[in-house]
Structures are given as structure tokens and as C-alpha cells.
Amino acid sequence: MLLRLEAVSKRFGQDWVFRDLSLSLKRGEVVALLGPNGSGKTTLLRLMAGLLKPTRGRVVRQGRALFLPNPPAFHRRLTAREHLLFDLGFHGVAGDWEAALTRFALPPDLPLAAFSSGMKKRLALARLLLLRPDLWLLDEPETALDQEGRKLLLEVLEEARRDAGVVLATHDRALAEAVADRAVGLGAA
Amino acid sequence: MRRVWLLALRDLRLEVRDRAGVLSVLAFFGVMLFVMALALGPEEAPLRRAAPGVLWVALAFMSTLLATRAFALEVEENTLDDLLLTPGGKEWVYLGKLLFQLLLLLPLSALALLLSAGLFYLPLARAPALLLTLALGVLGYASVATFYAGLLARLRGREVLLPLLLFSLVVPVVLASVRATVGLAEGLPLEEVAPWWQLLLVFDLVYITASALLFPLVLEG
């Protein structure tokens, strides 16, 4: 089991985002989180990553988790090459960053300030593919991607599920149906 | 250690490309030294007497500004989460941010020493001993400043809170640094200055160890 949520609840101030949520994820599984804006999808992903603590309940995680926020977070004064080299070194992972940038059609030496939203999303996917986490936590990964980018996303998700588990929050039901083994609906707590 | 260097060098690269942080530190530092020199001069005696105090006030403010800057780099771009999800201990983040500041502060301290010598008649005959004092003092100050800057990184009003929290804890470091600098400026024998260095060394070790151990806890959401 890569991830297990045991009756997890989260509250900000007096407002409950969700209550008593239980969920488990195995290697090779893709779970989609569906729900309207404000239903707690991003909060849940951050809890799963360990970036937030639950108000009640327990999150049990095995292996390395990485979280892809929406929009992806990058230093705009670094280039794609510099970003990937730093990430590979900092995570202690070996990977072919040049091949990744070629595959995702990204210029290696352009500062990220000049990247479009879609290019940043592609770079974020390339980064995840290189870092190979055990648990992929993706917040609206389809946003800002064009047709080609969406095709790459589907490929990346297929590759990810070979040896990892994926949780993705999305508003795109078609994407969820195409890639997810099951869906979890979030609504008002 | 590789992670510490990678993070420090990446931050240094970001800072060099942005320039806003270093330029604001240099502007503050230059204005402060010139205003103090104009206010206390032109006679040599009051300038020389004030030199250690002016030098350390400038260094303390420079360190505080750079500590805020070290985490502002991550908060502005929303990249702090990425660092926190790196496998292993979070103390690497603290040590990397500390090293980043030291890579900027140590050359700036040497520059401050030269300017203080020029404007405040601070004698440079014992430059190696003065540089040792600067290095020990800056290390102690920056170690606490980095810790609190990380603690406050995601809070609004962090620029106000940081000096309030920081200055109470770094009093021993500032005191020992100023006394050692005064002793060297007045020509005291090194044996009389050495106890201040020993005190600084102890505080540096305690602050760095405690901050590195506590840092993962302050970053938890």
C-alpha cells in the first residue's frame, strides 16, 4: 500500500473542508479526485503529500511523494536545464534531462519567465518523469495544455502507473474516465 | 553536503540574476556608513570610537535583509513545497539557505571592513584578526536569522516580526562581536580578545546545531 487515509478530516478555522475521508492507493493505481471549486481537492493532495497535517485522522504514506501544484511552481529566472539539473542533484536521482526536454519540446536555455503556462506544465511533467516518485500527486495536470500536451500527459500517466501510484485532482471528467481506475467525489463537508 | 551546496549556489544564481536583494543591501549599507561618518566626523577620535558599533549595526541589518531574502525567493515563486518534499531531513534546506547568505555576507563583511577603515579610521593593521571576528559574528547572527526567516516565511508581516524575534536572541553574538572588534581597534593583546572569539564560537555551534535540529519542525504545515 502506497497511501492510506484513515478517517481524515481537515478544518481551517471553523470551516471543515472535508470530514472522515478514507482512501487507499496501491502501486499501479490511478485515482481521480472530482469535485467543484472549493471542495478540498488541493487541500487533500497537500495532506497526502505531507505538506499539511490533518485536523483528525491519519495519513500513512510509503515511498517518495511529489506534488504538482496548479499552476506549477518554478523560479522564473532559471532555465529549464538549470531547474532539472538542480532537481536531479537535490533529489539524488540520475536522469537524462536532455532527452526529457527534447521529448516535451522545451527549450533548455530560455529563462522560465519566457515560458507559457502550457510550457511550464510540460516542464513540470518532465520533472516528475525524471524524478520518478512513488506517489504522484497532480493538481489539475491538464490545465493549460494544448492537444499535443494533453497527449503527452496521457503518455506520462501511463508510464507513471507502471511503478507508482497516481492521485490527480481534475475538473475534466473525460480525463478521469480515460486514466483513472476509480474516482472519489468531494463536495461540501 | 552536496544538497547544501546545490541549494546555496542555486540561490546565489537567482540573487545575481535578480540583483534587487544585493543592491538594496548595498544601498542601505552605503547610505548608513556615509550618514554616520558625516554625523560623527570629521575629527578622528569620535569616528574611530564609533567604528565597531557602526560596523556591526550595518552587518546586523545586512544579515537580516538577506535572511528575509533567502526565503522570499521561495515564497514569491511558491517553490518552498518542492524543497520540503525532498526526501531526507529538512535540515539541508536550513543549511543551504545559511550557506547562501554566508557566500554573500562574508565578501560584504570584508567590504564593510575596508569602508569602515576608510571612513572611520578603523585600523587595519590586525586585519586577519578583524576578519576572524567578522566571520564568527556573521555566522552566529546569520544562523539565527535564517532560522527565524524560515519560521516566518509564509506569514504576512514577516519583515516586521523578524527583527523583533531575532534581536533578543542574537544579543550575545552582537555583544561579543562588538567587544572583540573594540579590543582589536584599541590594540589590546590577542590573549585579551581571544575569550570573545571562544564565546562566539560556542554560540555559533549552539545556534547552528539547535536551528538545524528544530528547522524541520517549524516548516511543518
Side-chain angles (χ1 to χ4, degrees), chain B residues 79-101:
Chain B
T79 48
L80 194 53
D81 288 346
D82 273 345
L83 294 182
L84 302 186
L85 289 178
T86 309
K90 308 291 176 281
E91 61 273 13
W92 303 118
V93 177
Y94 167 78
L95 293 170
K97 294 290 179 187
L98 176 60
L99 181 61
F100 155 69
Q101 287 171 74

Side-chain angles (χ1 to χ4, degrees), chain A residues 78-89:
Chain A
L78 293 182
T79 65
R81 178 177 58 84
E82 288 165 346
H83 245 297
L84 293 183
L85 280 172
F86 170 76
D87 284 328
L88 288 169

Side-chain angles (χ1 to χ4, degrees), chain B residues 199-217:
Chain B
L199 189 65
L200 278 172
L201 192 61
V202 169
F203 271 111
D204 289 358
L205 289 173
V206 169
Y207 282 160
I208 291 173
T209 308
S211 298
L213 290 174
L214 291 173
F215 197 70
L217 300 176

Side-chain angles (χ1 to χ4, degrees), chain B:
Chain B
M1 268 318 279
R2 183 176 150 76
R3 276 186 187 165
V4 175
W5 275 104
L6 278 171
L7 183 57
L9 293 177
R10 187 209 63 174
D11 283 2
L12 201 59
R13 178 177 279 162
L14 286 169
E15 196 56 61
V16 167
R17 285 183 188 166
D18 186 33
R19 291 189 290 272
V22 174
L23 285 179
S24 64
V25 165
L26 282 173
F28 165 82
F29 169 60
V31 168
M32 192 199 145
L33 284 188
F34 279 106
V35 168
M36 293 299 284
L38 286 172
L40 296 167
E43 287 81 20
E44 185 178 331
L47 284 170
R48 188 187 276 252
R49 206 163 42 246
V54 172
L55 178 65
W56 279 102
V57 169
L59 289 175
F61 277 100
M62 277 162 52
S63 177
T64 308
L65 286 171
L66 281 176
T68 310
R69 187 78 195 144
F71 286 92
L73 291 172
E74 309 297 344
V75 174
E76 282 167 11
E77 308 275 19
N78 201 24
T79 48
L80 194 53
D81 288 346
D82 273 345
L83 294 182
L84 302 186
L85 289 178
T86 309
K90 308 291 176 281
E91 61 273 13
W92 303 118
V93 177
Y94 167 78
L95 293 170
K97 294 290 179 187
L98 176 60
L99 181 61
F100 155 69
Q101 287 171 74
L102 292 175
L103 290 174
L104 285 172
L105 272 172
L106 293 175
L108 287 172
S109 302
L111 179 67
L113 187 62
L114 287 176
L115 283 175
S116 302
L119 289 168
F120 292 86
Y121 302 99
L122 189 67
L124 282 182
R126 304 164 94 185
L130 279 167
L131 285 172
L132 174 66
T133 309
L134 290 183
L136 288 171
V138 160
L139 178 60
Y141 196 96
S143 64
V144 185
T146 308
F147 177 79
Y148 276 122
L151 175 71
L152 301 170
R154 295 190 219 234
L155 297 183
R156 274 182 291 173
R158 55 185 172 268
E159 290 85 358
V160 180
L161 285 170
L162 180 62
L164 292 176
L165 289 170
L166 175 62
F167 289 143
S168 55
L169 206 60
V170 291
V171 165
V173 169
V174 175
L175 181 72
S177 302
V178 172
R179 293 315 307 166
T181 312
V182 168
L184 291 168
E186 289 177 350
L188 292 182
L190 289 182
E191 305 83 70
E192 288 188 37
V193 179
W196 293 114
W197 289 337
Q198 288 167 354
L199 189 65
L200 278 172
L201 192 61
V202 169
F203 271 111
D204 289 358
L205 289 173
V206 169
Y207 282 160
I208 291 173
T209 308
S211 298
L213 290 174
L214 291 173
F215 197 70
L217 300 176
V218 309
L219 286 178
E220 282 184 4

Side-chain angles (χ1 to χ4, degrees), chain A residues 114-125:
Chain A
F115 271 37
S116 69
S117 306
M119 289 164 83
K120 283 182 192 161
K121 192 58 75 81
R122 284 179 187 224
L123 179 59
L125 292 172

